[in-house]
Amino acid sequence: MARLLAQAALALVWLTRLPVGRLLPASPPTLAQAAWAFPLVGLAVGFIGAAVLGLAALAGLPGMVAALLAVGAMILATGALHEDGLADCADGSGGATRERRLEIMRDSRIGSYGVLALVLVTGLRVAAIAALVAQPWLAAAAVAGLAAASRAGMALGLGLMPPARHDGLGHAAGRPTRGAMLAALALGAAALMLPALGLPHPAAGWLVLAAAVAAAQLWLARRALRALGGQTGDVLGAMQQAGETAGLVALAALA
């Protein structure tokens, strides 16, 4: 149990800005060992967003404002880690060669592709959540469940895709075991039941949500393999953003 708690704490330290570093043991596990807990981190981040969404609704704020506050709270909780990855991947897509793409992605400056990707994806997340606010339980479940499910894809990407660099997070993290990936997948699938239970046909709704999240992440993973030769920390962050956004849009269409 202590080992699992240490792994969960490490995942929180890497993927959020929550003050949990003191929970780590003197000899912490590797990030690959903690990959199974990525969906649990997403659930924690999602609960923060859901709580803010609920408080905003109780205060009588318009749905769009409540949704924007919820997304903003999740961005603060993670330090915009995954949004940064999304922007870097979008900017890198403008490079002519693999080496140039990786070089652009490492540049701390943001370009027009990155700005447009952030505006589009964040706008879709906010608009989709706002469309669900009339059903408070469904909206809160969507925020929490999809934040968790989308991070399961990160664990799978880390384990199944080779690192694109010989340094950086994607390489240093290591490769999760098959057991860790299956655990992350199971947790992510279970988290999807939260919003699916609020739909008229939960089983069919779960399948649609799972397909939307998986399709978006597989599409991005395939592009990364072709353009970069594998994954980086930025690619994993972009996969999380793509999966969460696709799931929210699909849920807004189903609700």
Side-chain angles (χ1 to χ4, degrees), residues 60-193:
L61 294 175
M64 187 64 74
V65 176
L68 185 57
L69 288 173
V71 171
M74 291 190 288
I75 290 174
L76 285 175
T78 62
L81 179 66
H82 307 315
E83 286 80 6
D84 181 67
L86 173 68
D88 285 343
C89 283
D91 281 336
S93 66
T97 65
R98 173 183 177 274
E99 291 71 23
R100 179 56 180 155
R101 294 179 196 113
L102 290 171
E103 181 184 353
I104 293 172
M105 289 168 65
R106 211 161 230 178
D107 193 330
S108 60
R109 295 169 296 182
I110 187 170
S112 57
Y113 287 178
V115 171
L116 290 171
L118 285 175
V119 169
L120 178 61
V121 169
T122 305
L124 283 172
R125 290 166 68 196
V126 170
I129 295 170
L132 301 169
V133 169
Q135 304 176 67
W137 189 92
L138 180 59
V143 170
L146 285 162
S150 59
R151 283 166 174 82
M154 294 176 64
L156 294 177
L158 185 62
L160 298 176
M161 299 170 66
R165 293 190 178 101
H166 297 299
D167 58 356
L169 175 61
H171 180 270
R175 305 289 286 271
T177 63
R178 179 178 298 181
M181 289 189 288
L182 288 176
L185 186 61
L187 289 170
L192 272 186
M193 286 302 300

